[in-house]
Amino acid sequence: MTLFTMAVVTGLALGSIYGLIALGFQITYSVSGTVNFAQGSVVMLGAVSGYMIYQVSGDMPWIAYPLALLVCGIAGAVIEAVLVRPFAKRGNEGWLMATVAGGILLDNTALFTFGNEPRTFPSSLVNDTVQIANVGLYPLQLVIPLVTLSIAIILHVLFRRTQQGTALLAVVQNASAASLMGINTQRMITASYVLSGMLAGLAGLLIAPLASVHSEMGVLFGLKAFAVAILGGMTSASGIMVAGLIYGITEALVTSYFGSSFTSIVVFAAVIAILVLKPNGLFGRSGVNKV
Amino acid sequence: MCNTSDRHTERRQLPVSRAFGTMALAAFMFFAGSASAQESIKIGLVAALSGQSAKSGEAITRGLTIAIDEINARGGVLGKPIELISRDDESNPGKGLTAARELVQREGVAAIIGGLDTPVSFAIVPFANQMKVPFVGPWAAGTGITFNGAEENYIFRVSAVDEYVDEAITEYLITRYGAKKPGMILINNPWGESNEKGLTKALEKRNMDHAGIEKFESTDIDVTPQLTRLKNAGADSLFLVANVAPSAQVVKSLDRMGWDVPIASHWGPAGGRFTELAGPSGEKVHFIQTYSFTGELNAKGQAVLDALQERFPEIKSIADVTPAVGIANAYDAMLLLSAAIEKAGSTDGPAIRQAMYDIENIEGLIKTYTDPFSPDNQDALGPEDYIFTNFVNGEILPLDF
Amino acid sequence: MTQHHRAPLLSSPNVQVPVLLGSLLLGAIALALAASSGYTHFVISLVAISTITGVGLNILYGLTGMISFGHIAFQAIGAYTCAILMLNDASFLIALLVSAALTGLAGLLLALPAVRVAGPFLAMVTIAFFFVIEHGIIEWRSLTGGQNGLFGFPPVSIAGYTLSERDLSIFASCCAFLSLFAFHRISRSGWGLAMKGVRDAEIASSSLGLNTRNVKIMAFGLSAVFAGIAGAIYTPLIMFIAPSNFPFSDSILALFAVILGGTGATLGPLLGSFVTVMLPELLSELAQYRLLFFGALMLAVLLIAPSGVSGLLARLLPKSLPVFDEPDADTASRWLSNAVAAQDLTVKQVCIAFGGLQAVDNVSFVARSGKILSVIGPNGAGKTTVLNMVSGFYKPDTGEVCIQGCDIAGQPAHSVSQRGIARTYQTTRLYEKLTVLENVFSGLQHGKLGKPFESLDTQSRTQLAIGLLRYSGYRGNPDVLAGSLPHVDRRFVEIARALATAPSVLLLDEPAAGLMRADKEQLAHTLKDIASLGISVLLVEHDMTLVMGISDDILVLDAGKPIAFGVPEAVRQNPQVLAAYLGNADFSAPARATTLPTDAETLMSIRHLSAGYGAAPVLHKVSFDILQGELIAILGANGAGKSTLMSTLSGMLRISSGEIILKNQPVQNLPAHDMVAHGLVLVPEGRQVFPELSVLQNIKLGAYKRKDSVAQAELEGILNRFPRLKDRLHNRAGLLSGGEQQMLAIARGLMAKPDILLLDEPSLGLAPSMVAELYLILARLRDDGVTILLVDQVATLALDIADRAYVMEQGAIVAQGSSESIRQDKMLASAYLGAA
């Protein structure tokens, strides 16, 4: 039972992180039909810039966190303007390779500015463990799902209650009609990338105290989050959060019961199998076949 | 396509042939290589300088640099300064072999140092033997690298050997803790796998059972599922093989589980910031070392440390001198190699190899090497050079054993 | 990746490619022989291996348009297979062949899930495949040696001769150039054509009889075979095989090599590999900064030279188009009359509903061999839906579609095509990146792939294709890219392509849309000719002059129901048909009670406005004024340019010349979202409410550009105009009925407090009672002083409430005046139903 509880708790925290990053994929994909394959690198950027600001500011998390998010938001905007828009305008898929290249650039720039040694991101939430149901946990492991849930709720509310939020939804649902309302769709696409970058950065900041901060920490997070976004169907935010949890918990359960040798094989084979059965993901809607 | 297009052929070929001509010229210039006059003795370095192993690659580079500075200050070797030519292998054996070939066949290096990752070394070994170019490994511990079965073996190593290490840490767990059923928690990479073999062999030799072999990825942030499996299988002690950050994850996961279990580890945790990453429980990990800059240093150690700080201003504290084994192994390897070249009197591969067997009394960081190599033993370090250490207040200190 | 210009030498079939390949191979061999350094041989081999993998990716990505981020996994499978066989004393050649076969099999297996998905989903499947293979290799230790890999292979020998490094590099080069040559042949063959067709227009391919799923599976398998061969050669070259030889990043690199060399170009993989292999070697001095530099280079190439090196080289070439011998004038008709099997198409009582809307309701007809049957009706009548059911894209809920005595309803499009039914599309679906000639070839193939290495462009086939093009009315060069054609030529080429399948039945969806009068006459002539060959022609068309001129029978649909059937003259006189087009006399909306003040100011002036889509101009020098407070109606048949006018005025479409002056300010070419701030709001055709937002949110979005906040009183004022919306304020807009959505769209538009409101087809698809309600509301808006520009199919109603009206035909204004005078004008009826 402990094994099971442990796996679920582990899976919840990791799954929430995947979900948070995947939400970034969903937002840009919904608004612009493009995704940022350097999303994992932005996760890293969140953690690395947070760490560096934290050091410079003299251990002041309340400066470091917002500034790191700002950095990631700006990174999102730059990625959109330089790596995505030129290609989207030409109507080709060049953004796909361009964002991959952007990721290589970001990772390697971090390697030479931040350094090649993993560092610990200080957080009072991992200093002690708490015992819950015979399972030792860092408070952060409980905080992560809560923060993620709050973010999801806040986003939900923002999108539905604020004018800019509904405007973004309007662009998602019908971009040309939205522009007839006076909504600048290009600005909304930029906004979606800023938001996506900030979500990735937040994920980086949240996970950093549990993991360690280094220049390549984002790669696998980015790939797994992409799998989550795909499983969630790319367009449904709630579907993606659920897919994130399913993914995280499955990963932990497979490791717990079958050993870690098979985790990657089982999980990625499952991704393929699910897409065979549901080509639009678990929660995606099938598009109408327009002729 | 049609009979008329032939007419255009001639006209079109002009610019095309010009374009391909440019390409051919580029290719020629490329293959012609840098045929500069031999004013220095070139030593090649093939190591992972980017990616996850970049820190270790940097340590090796630093160790070599300090040694070369020292040698060149003394007037070099054979009256010529030593020049280090570095190549990044990205931890990819194919890239490593390409780099080794480029160093040997284009740059004309006298010897190669490197191979951080065991597979990269494996890829270079047959080539080095075939080309009769000495290849000195300051890091990769895969047993088969030096025990490669070649009749004329050009592969030398100044580093630990997995099989010896595994034997040593098995013995350590048994004699010190009376371990009966150890569990293995290994990083899922070639290094982990090589030690899985070594550890299994060491246990088999003693007719002992293990509680399980668990692997984890260097990016895993929670190893509790794997550790819980070992615990449930009745593990009374743990073998740990992983680099600094993943080792720290194991320690943190053990903390969370509240499982206090003896851990004997390969040298992975020897990075200067292990306890920063793992927290105070990091001190519970007992790991093997060939060298450490902490504690009381002898004259040689102090001199190298000072040189390091002078040459690399980014080194601010002892915690930045990391991983120490990389620096020390590389430093010693360079000293041994230069001694051999001096002795051989040429940069001819077979001559250097022969001289490697003849060098004696070289004062290195780790020890003074008397007769370090012989055709039967291509490893300069053996089990007698391993010490067990742990972190105490951020310093690596030897354990009484 | 889109390549707008053409690379004649490097991306299209050309006789000199084999010569060029041969000389390059000789060059590589010469280099290998001349070089003394093993490093040179090694690098030649690396370029060759990368080229072979690149050829595979070029088949998948370049020809078929499917992306793979996991291709290195195929190379790994090939390398391991070869390694294991060589360790078991198999000869290298056998090992190579088995590797290729096994990897091909793996490719086919991956294709089964992969062809079901597209875009990012496909990317994910290939990524997942990579990880499954990578970890599979790591874990299957007894076979693969695990993380520490396999080594100690015997030296490569072929027929007893042991290969040196130099020999191996020559062998690898030969394999690479054989691969390039194979690609060259495949891309010119029926296989390549089928793949490119799937890439450019999958739907069109299936209606040309191609089983697109099989083509994609085949492309995946073939692509994997090349990667497998590359892997098999990699093994003896490196002499050590471990999982870390095949990192994920190498998949990206392989893809990059293809893009860098020029996606789809024969020499692309070679050029790309040359750069991706050699450049890191040249940059090796940079050591750890190499990847940084490489990432930057990758980006620079994508941004600056998206068509790759071969695209750059192609720019150096003089552009000259080959000249073709013109075939005999009757080539096509002779061939068609032999090839076509005369068949009637019988449609019996077909029905189909989409989400509660009965799109087609109990429609029956017989398209007789040798006759032209036209299906007409107002917008939304279900005409195209009928075509889609006949051609296999929709499965009718009930009813039969019979040809040759068989019911083919619900069969996939490619089977329907094989039954002898061909079609064209409302917006042409040509293979944009193929030449006109290749477009017709794909019709001639009619779903057959032919031999994989046999070129299609034989003399006789080329002559026939050109004959068909000329027969269909295309007069231009057959060797230009279809994507560069003007609108009219696209229509003609699409017809030629459909005819090339030698169909019994030809379905045409609005072939005359966007054509000029002279072209329409040409089209009419062609269609009559086609029918005279015994083909049943089924025509959906809005141009009544054309329809009335050439049809043998006409079927009129309204709201999915057949309302009339008969010869043109009878249909034209049918009062039901007139009512369907011009509106019913049952209801009339109230005219303005008090006359408009004569001194009203001009609010908006349109001066010599011309605009259109791409190469096809739709509006020709349209000019008119709108006075403050006026309600102006724009009338005209479908395709007259009314909606284009509305799009242009609202900034959705760029104008090509002319002026739009709003409140004394020129506003032409402002983006749509800025037009709102200038006081012009369009309520678009089809309502276009935001379906997932609530009614209230939709309404509030209308005020997005306003600086003041929306007072409750104002909201209530709006809701009082549209009482139906009041109860549904918090419902999702997508759940509203069509009429309610139209109300919402207008309410939303009014929230912007526009100076002028543009309404595009507000009554389209609404129930009559709803239309009445809507028009009462519009009349009230007018009376309250809102300036309105109204486009509506239902001319009588629009005239009821309008102050003035303009009649459009062929993108120009042909009549104007007060509503009364227009109502009496004969131009109106003829604009809708053609001149009598």
PDB file of all heavy atoms in Angstrom, chain B residues 11 17 46 48 57 101 142 158 165-166 182 201 220 227 233 237 244 255 298 306 314 318 344 358 387 391:
ATOM      1  N   ARG B  11      23.946  24.989 -71.449  1.00  0.00           N
ATOM      2  CA  ARG B  11      23.840  26.319 -70.893  1.00  0.00           C
ATOM      3  C   ARG B  11      23.700  26.253 -69.372  1.00  0.00           C
ATOM      4  O   ARG B  11      24.252  27.066 -68.654  1.00  0.00           O
ATOM      5  CB  ARG B  11      22.613  27.002 -71.510  1.00  0.00           C
ATOM      6  CG  ARG B  11      22.529  28.469 -71.281  1.00  0.00           C
ATOM      7  CD  ARG B  11      21.836  29.140 -72.472  1.00  0.00           C
ATOM      8  NE  ARG B  11      20.533  28.544 -72.711  1.00  0.00           N
ATOM      9  CZ  ARG B  11      19.427  28.963 -72.103  1.00  0.00           C
ATOM     10  NH1 ARG B  11      19.488  29.921 -71.233  1.00  0.00           N
ATOM     11  NH2 ARG B  11      18.269  28.414 -72.374  1.00  0.00           N
ATOM     12  N   SER B  17      28.242  23.750 -62.498  1.00  0.00           N
ATOM     13  CA  SER B  17      29.573  23.217 -62.279  1.00  0.00           C
ATOM     14  C   SER B  17      30.385  24.195 -61.444  1.00  0.00           C
ATOM     15  O   SER B  17      31.235  23.806 -60.650  1.00  0.00           O
ATOM     16  CB  SER B  17      30.266  22.933 -63.611  1.00  0.00           C
ATOM     17  OG  SER B  17      30.307  24.107 -64.380  1.00  0.00           O
ATOM     18  N   VAL B  46      39.798  14.021 -26.286  1.00  0.00           N
ATOM     19  CA  VAL B  46      38.439  13.709 -26.730  1.00  0.00           C
ATOM     20  C   VAL B  46      37.601  13.525 -25.486  1.00  0.00           C
ATOM     21  O   VAL B  46      37.812  12.587 -24.726  1.00  0.00           O
ATOM     22  CB  VAL B  46      38.398  12.411 -27.568  1.00  0.00           C
ATOM     23  CG1 VAL B  46      36.980  12.130 -28.006  1.00  0.00           C
ATOM     24  CG2 VAL B  46      39.324  12.508 -28.755  1.00  0.00           C
ATOM     25  N   ALA B  48      33.577  14.724 -23.426  1.00  0.00           N
ATOM     26  CA  ALA B  48      32.298  15.418 -23.499  1.00  0.00           C
ATOM     27  C   ALA B  48      32.485  16.803 -22.899  1.00  0.00           C
ATOM     28  O   ALA B  48      32.733  16.938 -21.714  1.00  0.00           O
ATOM     29  CB  ALA B  48      31.238  14.642 -22.737  1.00  0.00           C
ATOM     30  N   GLY B  57      34.186  16.882 -18.160  1.00  0.00           N
ATOM     31  CA  GLY B  57      35.078  17.235 -19.254  1.00  0.00           C
ATOM     32  C   GLY B  57      35.915  18.444 -18.903  1.00  0.00           C
ATOM     33  O   GLY B  57      37.113  18.518 -19.199  1.00  0.00           O
ATOM     34  N   ARG B 101      39.874  10.195 -34.872  1.00  0.00           N
ATOM     35  CA  ARG B 101      40.454  10.057 -36.207  1.00  0.00           C
ATOM     36  C   ARG B 101      40.969  11.409 -36.699  1.00  0.00           C
ATOM     37  O   ARG B 101      42.048  11.502 -37.277  1.00  0.00           O
ATOM     38  CB  ARG B 101      39.410   9.526 -37.183  1.00  0.00           C
ATOM     39  CG  ARG B 101      39.221   8.031 -37.067  1.00  0.00           C
ATOM     40  CD  ARG B 101      38.113   7.589 -37.990  1.00  0.00           C
ATOM     41  NE  ARG B 101      38.119   6.156 -38.177  1.00  0.00           N
ATOM     42  CZ  ARG B 101      38.812   5.537 -39.130  1.00  0.00           C
ATOM     43  NH1 ARG B 101      39.551   6.229 -39.957  1.00  0.00           N
ATOM     44  NH2 ARG B 101      38.755   4.232 -39.250  1.00  0.00           N
ATOM     45  N   GLY B 142      35.197   1.580 -17.412  1.00  0.00           N
ATOM     46  CA  GLY B 142      34.787   0.287 -17.964  1.00  0.00           C
ATOM     47  C   GLY B 142      35.975  -0.664 -18.043  1.00  0.00           C
ATOM     48  O   GLY B 142      37.021  -0.327 -18.593  1.00  0.00           O
ATOM     49  N   VAL B 158      44.663   6.009 -16.229  1.00  0.00           N
ATOM     50  CA  VAL B 158      44.978   6.524 -14.898  1.00  0.00           C
ATOM     51  C   VAL B 158      43.643   6.855 -14.254  1.00  0.00           C
ATOM     52  O   VAL B 158      43.209   7.997 -14.206  1.00  0.00           O
ATOM     53  CB  VAL B 158      45.868   7.780 -14.968  1.00  0.00           C
ATOM     54  CG1 VAL B 158      46.329   8.175 -13.565  1.00  0.00           C
ATOM     55  CG2 VAL B 158      47.061   7.540 -15.864  1.00  0.00           C
ATOM     56  N   VAL B 165      36.646  -1.469  -8.392  1.00  0.00           N
ATOM     57  CA  VAL B 165      35.835  -0.639  -7.500  1.00  0.00           C
ATOM     58  C   VAL B 165      34.701  -1.472  -6.919  1.00  0.00           C
ATOM     59  O   VAL B 165      34.417  -1.433  -5.714  1.00  0.00           O
ATOM     60  CB  VAL B 165      35.273   0.575  -8.257  1.00  0.00           C
ATOM     61  CG1 VAL B 165      34.263   1.327  -7.395  1.00  0.00           C
ATOM     62  CG2 VAL B 165      36.389   1.512  -8.684  1.00  0.00           C
ATOM     63  N   ASP B 166      34.047  -2.233  -7.790  1.00  0.00           N
ATOM     64  CA  ASP B 166      32.899  -3.019  -7.342  1.00  0.00           C
ATOM     65  C   ASP B 166      33.327  -4.055  -6.285  1.00  0.00           C
ATOM     66  O   ASP B 166      32.628  -4.285  -5.306  1.00  0.00           O
ATOM     67  CB  ASP B 166      32.236  -3.699  -8.538  1.00  0.00           C
ATOM     68  CG  ASP B 166      31.660  -2.670  -9.500  1.00  0.00           C
ATOM     69  OD1 ASP B 166      31.277  -1.586  -9.015  1.00  0.00           O
ATOM     70  OD2 ASP B 166      31.614  -2.929 -10.714  1.00  0.00           O
ATOM     71  N   PRO B 182      22.549  -6.864  -0.216  1.00  0.00           N
ATOM     72  CA  PRO B 182      22.567  -5.479  -0.689  1.00  0.00           C
ATOM     73  C   PRO B 182      21.658  -5.283  -1.903  1.00  0.00           C
ATOM     74  O   PRO B 182      21.388  -6.228  -2.644  1.00  0.00           O
ATOM     75  CB  PRO B 182      24.036  -5.248  -1.067  1.00  0.00           C
ATOM     76  CG  PRO B 182      24.702  -6.574  -1.042  1.00  0.00           C
ATOM     77  CD  PRO B 182      23.731  -7.618  -0.618  1.00  0.00           C
ATOM     78  N   LYS B 201      29.100  -9.763 -10.281  1.00  0.00           N
ATOM     79  CA  LYS B 201      30.225 -10.688 -10.256  1.00  0.00           C
ATOM     80  C   LYS B 201      30.810 -10.791  -8.835  1.00  0.00           C
ATOM     81  O   LYS B 201      31.065 -11.900  -8.337  1.00  0.00           O
ATOM     82  CB  LYS B 201      31.298 -10.179 -11.228  1.00  0.00           C
ATOM     83  CG  LYS B 201      32.292 -11.228 -11.668  1.00  0.00           C
ATOM     84  CD  LYS B 201      33.093 -10.698 -12.848  1.00  0.00           C
ATOM     85  CE  LYS B 201      34.463 -11.342 -12.899  1.00  0.00           C
ATOM     86  NZ  LYS B 201      35.344 -10.662 -13.870  1.00  0.00           N
ATOM     87  N   ASP B 220      15.545  11.926 -13.228  1.00  0.00           N
ATOM     88  CA  ASP B 220      14.489  11.573 -12.270  1.00  0.00           C
ATOM     89  C   ASP B 220      14.591  12.467 -11.039  1.00  0.00           C
ATOM     90  O   ASP B 220      15.682  12.689 -10.521  1.00  0.00           O
ATOM     91  CB  ASP B 220      14.636  10.106 -11.824  1.00  0.00           C
ATOM     92  CG  ASP B 220      14.096   9.155 -12.880  1.00  0.00           C
ATOM     93  OD1 ASP B 220      13.547   9.658 -13.877  1.00  0.00           O
ATOM     94  OD2 ASP B 220      14.230   7.937 -12.713  1.00  0.00           O
ATOM     95  N   LEU B 227      13.546   2.794  -4.724  1.00  0.00           N
ATOM     96  CA  LEU B 227      14.099   2.486  -3.409  1.00  0.00           C
ATOM     97  C   LEU B 227      13.098   1.689  -2.577  1.00  0.00           C
ATOM     98  O   LEU B 227      13.484   0.782  -1.825  1.00  0.00           O
ATOM     99  CB  LEU B 227      14.495   3.780  -2.693  1.00  0.00           C
ATOM    100  CG  LEU B 227      15.685   4.505  -3.340  1.00  0.00           C
ATOM    101  CD1 LEU B 227      15.857   5.894  -2.744  1.00  0.00           C
ATOM    102  CD2 LEU B 227      16.962   3.691  -3.164  1.00  0.00           C
ATOM    103  N   ALA B 233      12.085  -5.570  -0.824  1.00  0.00           N
ATOM    104  CA  ALA B 233      12.741  -6.851  -1.135  1.00  0.00           C
ATOM    105  C   ALA B 233      13.738  -7.250  -0.050  1.00  0.00           C
ATOM    106  O   ALA B 233      14.393  -8.277  -0.170  1.00  0.00           O
ATOM    107  CB  ALA B 233      13.445  -6.752  -2.490  1.00  0.00           C
ATOM    108  N   SER B 237      21.506  -2.989   2.690  1.00  0.00           N
ATOM    109  CA  SER B 237      22.520  -1.994   2.364  1.00  0.00           C
ATOM    110  C   SER B 237      22.373  -1.686   0.880  1.00  0.00           C
ATOM    111  O   SER B 237      21.698  -2.423   0.156  1.00  0.00           O
ATOM    112  CB  SER B 237      23.921  -2.546   2.652  1.00  0.00           C
ATOM    113  OG  SER B 237      24.060  -3.787   1.982  1.00  0.00           O
ATOM    114  N   VAL B 244      26.949  13.153  -9.515  1.00  0.00           N
ATOM    115  CA  VAL B 244      26.636  13.962  -8.335  1.00  0.00           C
ATOM    116  C   VAL B 244      25.126  14.190  -8.162  1.00  0.00           C
ATOM    117  O   VAL B 244      24.532  13.793  -7.164  1.00  0.00           O
ATOM    118  CB  VAL B 244      27.340  15.336  -8.423  1.00  0.00           C
ATOM    119  CG1 VAL B 244      27.045  16.139  -7.169  1.00  0.00           C
ATOM    120  CG2 VAL B 244      28.829  15.151  -8.569  1.00  0.00           C
ATOM    121  N   ASP B 255      15.828  10.026   2.440  1.00  0.00           N
ATOM    122  CA  ASP B 255      15.411  10.912   3.525  1.00  0.00           C
ATOM    123  C   ASP B 255      13.902  10.913   3.685  1.00  0.00           C
ATOM    124  O   ASP B 255      13.370  10.797   4.785  1.00  0.00           O
ATOM    125  CB  ASP B 255      15.846  12.346   3.193  1.00  0.00           C
ATOM    126  CG  ASP B 255      17.100  12.712   3.972  1.00  0.00           C
ATOM    127  OD1 ASP B 255      17.601  11.839   4.702  1.00  0.00           O
ATOM    128  OD2 ASP B 255      17.551  13.868   3.845  1.00  0.00           O
ATOM    129  N   ASN B 298      49.563  17.565   0.509  1.00  0.00           N
ATOM    130  CA  ASN B 298      51.023  17.575   0.448  1.00  0.00           C
ATOM    131  C   ASN B 298      51.472  18.730  -0.456  1.00  0.00           C
ATOM    132  O   ASN B 298      50.642  19.437  -1.029  1.00  0.00           O
ATOM    133  CB  ASN B 298      51.565  16.232  -0.040  1.00  0.00           C
ATOM    134  CG  ASN B 298      51.027  15.882  -1.414  1.00  0.00           C
ATOM    135  OD1 ASN B 298      50.470  16.735  -2.100  1.00  0.00           O
ATOM    136  ND2 ASN B 298      51.188  14.637  -1.789  1.00  0.00           N
ATOM    137  N   ASP B 306      46.993  25.748  -6.041  1.00  0.00           N
ATOM    138  CA  ASP B 306      47.309  27.160  -6.264  1.00  0.00           C
ATOM    139  C   ASP B 306      47.322  27.478  -7.756  1.00  0.00           C
ATOM    140  O   ASP B 306      46.776  28.497  -8.200  1.00  0.00           O
ATOM    141  CB  ASP B 306      48.679  27.503  -5.658  1.00  0.00           C
ATOM    142  CG  ASP B 306      48.648  27.422  -4.137  1.00  0.00           C
ATOM    143  OD1 ASP B 306      47.526  27.425  -3.581  1.00  0.00           O
ATOM    144  OD2 ASP B 306      49.726  27.333  -3.515  1.00  0.00           O
ATOM    145  N   GLU B 314      37.699  31.594 -11.984  1.00  0.00           N
ATOM    146  CA  GLU B 314      36.325  31.262 -11.556  1.00  0.00           C
ATOM    147  C   GLU B 314      36.322  30.260 -10.401  1.00  0.00           C
ATOM    148  O   GLU B 314      35.291  30.019  -9.789  1.00  0.00           O
ATOM    149  CB  GLU B 314      35.498  30.749 -12.741  1.00  0.00           C
ATOM    150  CG  GLU B 314      35.994  29.476 -13.406  1.00  0.00           C
ATOM    151  CD  GLU B 314      36.978  29.740 -14.552  1.00  0.00           C
ATOM    152  OE1 GLU B 314      37.708  30.757 -14.485  1.00  0.00           O
ATOM    153  OE2 GLU B 314      37.030  28.939 -15.496  1.00  0.00           O
ATOM    154  N   ILE B 318      37.174  25.640  -2.574  1.00  0.00           N
ATOM    155  CA  ILE B 318      37.530  24.235  -2.799  1.00  0.00           C
ATOM    156  C   ILE B 318      36.346  23.514  -3.470  1.00  0.00           C
ATOM    157  O   ILE B 318      36.525  22.548  -4.202  1.00  0.00           O
ATOM    158  CB  ILE B 318      37.928  23.579  -1.461  1.00  0.00           C
ATOM    159  CG1 ILE B 318      38.707  22.292  -1.730  1.00  0.00           C
ATOM    160  CG2 ILE B 318      36.748  23.297  -0.591  1.00  0.00           C
ATOM    161  CD1 ILE B 318      40.139  22.560  -2.079  1.00  0.00           C
ATOM    162  N   ALA B 344      60.953   8.157 -24.686  1.00  0.00           N
ATOM    163  CA  ALA B 344      60.965   7.537 -26.017  1.00  0.00           C
ATOM    164  C   ALA B 344      61.843   8.326 -26.975  1.00  0.00           C
ATOM    165  O   ALA B 344      62.354   7.779 -27.949  1.00  0.00           O
ATOM    166  CB  ALA B 344      59.550   7.454 -26.570  1.00  0.00           C
ATOM    167  N   ASP B 358      58.502   1.761 -19.274  1.00  0.00           N
ATOM    168  CA  ASP B 358      59.825   1.966 -18.668  1.00  0.00           C
ATOM    169  C   ASP B 358      59.858   3.125 -17.685  1.00  0.00           C
ATOM    170  O   ASP B 358      60.845   3.304 -16.980  1.00  0.00           O
ATOM    171  CB  ASP B 358      60.875   2.235 -19.764  1.00  0.00           C
ATOM    172  CG  ASP B 358      60.962   1.048 -20.719  1.00  0.00           C
ATOM    173  OD1 ASP B 358      60.613  -0.073 -20.257  1.00  0.00           O
ATOM    174  OD2 ASP B 358      61.335   1.228 -21.882  1.00  0.00           O
ATOM    175  N   ILE B 387      40.540   4.995  -1.784  1.00  0.00           N
ATOM    176  CA  ILE B 387      40.253   5.255  -0.381  1.00  0.00           C
ATOM    177  C   ILE B 387      38.759   5.462  -0.228  1.00  0.00           C
ATOM    178  O   ILE B 387      38.093   5.926  -1.161  1.00  0.00           O
ATOM    179  CB  ILE B 387      41.000   6.513   0.130  1.00  0.00           C
ATOM    180  CG1 ILE B 387      40.903   7.640  -0.911  1.00  0.00           C
ATOM    181  CG2 ILE B 387      42.451   6.194   0.458  1.00  0.00           C
ATOM    182  CD1 ILE B 387      41.402   8.971  -0.403  1.00  0.00           C
ATOM    183  N   PHE B 391      31.603  12.949   3.014  1.00  0.00           N
ATOM    184  CA  PHE B 391      31.596  14.388   3.220  1.00  0.00           C
ATOM    185  C   PHE B 391      31.419  14.691   4.695  1.00  0.00           C
ATOM    186  O   PHE B 391      30.561  14.105   5.359  1.00  0.00           O
ATOM    187  CB  PHE B 391      30.442  15.040   2.443  1.00  0.00           C
ATOM    188  CG  PHE B 391      30.814  15.390   1.045  1.00  0.00           C
ATOM    189  CD1 PHE B 391      30.586  14.504  -0.004  1.00  0.00           C
ATOM    190  CD2 PHE B 391      31.388  16.618   0.766  1.00  0.00           C
ATOM    191  CE1 PHE B 391      30.922  14.834  -1.291  1.00  0.00           C
ATOM    192  CE2 PHE B 391      31.721  16.954  -0.528  1.00  0.00           C
ATOM    193  CZ  PHE B 391      31.491  16.065  -1.568  1.00  0.00           C
TER     194      PHE B 391
END
